[in-house]
Amino acid sequence: MLSNGASADARASNSAPAGPAPQAEPARREHLLRRQAEAEKSRLEGVLESVGDVVVNVSGSGRITYLNRLGPQRGKRPKDELIGRDLTAIFPGEVGRMVQESLLRTSRGKAPDRFEYFSKVHSCWFETRIFPTADGAVIISADISRRKQVERRLREALERFRTASEMAMLGFWEWQLANDTVYFSPEWKKQLGYADTELPNRIEEWKNRLHPDDREFVLQQVARSGKQRSADFEIEYRLAHKDGGYRWINARWMALSDDAGSGLRFVVTHLDVTSVKEEAEHLDYVASHDLLTGLPNRALLQEFAEHVTNSARRQHGKVAVMFLDLDRFKAVNDTYGHKAGDRVLQEAAQRIARSLRAEDLVGRLGGDEFVAVLSEIGGFQDATRAATKCLEALSQPFALGKRKVTVLPSIGISIFPDDGDSIEKLIHNADVAMYEAKRSGGGKFCFFAQAATPGKLSPH
């Protein structure tokens, strides 16, 4: 792939100057290839050194061939003593066994694997992900202790809710099935925003407040329990509140029969768990989105990309991946400060999103780098239109108070399945194409295929 850079450099000029003698061409190309490979390796190592997770590359035999700056901290040895050793140097004991088993699953299935574990040595929770490569695997181990703490607090909060509901005043009601006699407690009505006298004791008052999406399932569950006569169950659903919104209710249904066995009634207690649901939704959002721009992060973007590429693979379709970078952004940060830079990134994210179709997705990788996945495209023309719109939108000035600043966007584009069959490969190749556009002066886009065939970069 990188060997195509020489032809891409040659295409950056409108008129090709007289080249060297034919016998010197192989040596010149070999020199260029070495320089490009060294530059790519240096850039990649710089990225890996900057991440906050342990990154380890292992050979097919399980020997360490590379590790970033955090590897020696985990292994508690200098880096040069860890290179060439097996994985137990960084992942000892039971954890090492788990890593080896995960590597085996990865090798057999040719698919990424993950597991979580608690390290007594470091007193931390870690999530370890393993990605297969052509000659081994890449292992990324991240400290997830804070996430585990949040999950534990959520579980404890829910348990406190349950305990409090049993000790304090509950929202509860009773339903005699034989004649539909109902009693709603004052607390039940209060939790839905009503005074005791505002709601009559009629079963329709409960049924009509069920959320349309929950109604059929809940009523089926109640009917099933009624037929079984004493089958208790717990269920969550939404009930309409007086304010016009809905509240998530955790309800415990207890089926009771009278002494003669001829009548059945339900005693239902309910607990408003809306705040717990909202906090869980917020955590899901934080885990899958970039908090500065609100765009999907790499994890959500990869999930979406895998879905659309799998669909395209079945239908013999195409998907485009655009890698967008903002030149001159560093100057904005240095001149006007990070808050101004953040406003530029937020506005840039909105402009990119507005330039794409509803069925496409754009995410932020970090810094001033964005990736867009264009689903179900017809070919190069669809990707060209999208890239042109993005270039036009991002080339407009950004307002910072009374000042206006401009950035210079560069876009690289790769096409599935022509330029790669995985999202990692497509992003990488789009990144390569973006650097070709940047080297030509910026404000342009370039297809990865242009690195392998004669042509020019598309103009702004």
Side-chain angles (χ1 to χ4, degrees), residues 98-134:
M98 295 167 67
V99 172
Q100 293 291 352
E101 290 177 352
S102 183
L103 278 171
L104 186 60
R105 289 193 298 271
T106 299
S107 176
R108 288 174 176 173
K110 301 299 182 184
D113 194 34
R114 64 174 293 279
F115 63 89
E116 297 177 0
Y117 68 92
F118 180 78
S119 170
K120 294 182 179 179
V121 176
H122 300 89
S123 298
C124 292
W125 275 96
F126 292 103
E127 177 186 59
T128 298
R129 294 178 179 268
I130 299 180
F131 302 88
T133 63

Side-chain angles (χ1 to χ4, degrees), residues 324-444:
L324 303 93
D325 180 86
L326 305 179
D327 296 341
R328 303 177 185 168
F329 174 74
K330 184 177 184 301
V332 173
N333 254 347
D334 294 343
T335 304
Y336 301 108
H338 290 289
K339 288 185 177 180
D342 288 348
R343 290 200 296 273
V344 170
L345 290 175
Q346 291 166 341
E347 175 63 23
Q350 294 177 17
R351 293 185 186 184
I352 297 170
R354 289 195 298 265
S355 301
L356 302 178
R357 305 168 302 173
E359 59 266 35
D360 303 327
L361 188 70
V362 59
R364 180 181 176 221
L365 297 188
D368 59 349
E369 294 181 337
F370 301 85
V371 167
V373 179
L374 313 182
S375 63
E376 299 180 2
I377 65 167
F380 286 87
Q381 290 182 342
D382 289 342
T384 295
R385 279 193 292 269
T388 301
K389 287 183 178 181
C390 289
L391 284 178
E392 292 174 350
L394 294 172
S395 297
Q396 299 302 313
F398 291 80
L400 297 177
K402 296 181 180 180
R403 306 183 185 91
K404 290 187 177 181
V405 298
T406 57
V407 296
L408 192 63
S410 295
I411 302 177
I413 308 170
S414 60
I415 303 293
F416 171 90
D418 308 56
D419 302 328
D421 59 359
S422 69
I423 183 57
E424 293 86 358
K425 187 72 171 178
L426 291 167
I427 290 177
H428 174 78
N429 288 344
D431 187 20
V432 171
M434 182 274 294
Y435 271 92
E436 292 292 335
K438 187 188 291 284
R439 277 194 288 267
S440 75
K444 302 177 181 180

